[in-house]
Amino acid sequence: MFARLFKKSPSEYRLSITPAGIDLRLFANETVLQGALRHGIVFPHNCRAGGCGECKCRLLEGKVKELTDKSYLLSAKEL
């Protein structure tokens, strides 16, 4: 019962950018944009914080934990 309350989260996550065929390791506390830039990947962005929506992309598999609320940037279909 208490196991999931004290379960340790992974410190890294895997990100695949398709169709480019790029696989990256992201730290648990960094955004997709930050991780891509850290790996030298050219990724569209304007503000580096997600507020402009330039780096918006589509999740094909898995889950994303939002670090900040960006729901105002996404349409109902995109959410």
Side-chain angles (χ1 to χ4, degrees):
M1 176 176 155
F2 293 107
R4 81 176 180 199
L5 292 175
F6 298 106
K7 183 178 175 184
K8 188 175 180 181
S9 297
S11 59
E12 289 187 338
Y13 294 90
R14 186 177 68 84
L15 169 71
S16 295
I17 301 174
T18 58
I22 299 171
D23 289 319
L24 308 173
R25 293 265 179 219
L26 301 182
F27 297 124
N29 63 343
E30 73 181 337
T31 65
V32 170
L33 175 61
Q34 290 168 339
L37 295 176
R38 180 173 56 82
H39 284 283
I41 305 298
V42 178
F43 208 88
H45 69 285
N46 235 348
C47 69
R48 296 184 71 118
C52 68
E54 188 76 22
C55 61
K56 188 171 26 174
C57 51
R58 182 180 306 175
L59 177 66
L60 299 178
E61 184 180 317
K63 294 181 180 180
V64 173
K65 178 183 174 188
E66 289 189 53
L67 300 178
T68 58
D69 179 32
K70 299 293 184 240
S71 61
Y72 63 93
L73 292 171
L74 304 173
S75 68
K77 182 179 178 181
E78 291 171 327
L79 285 172

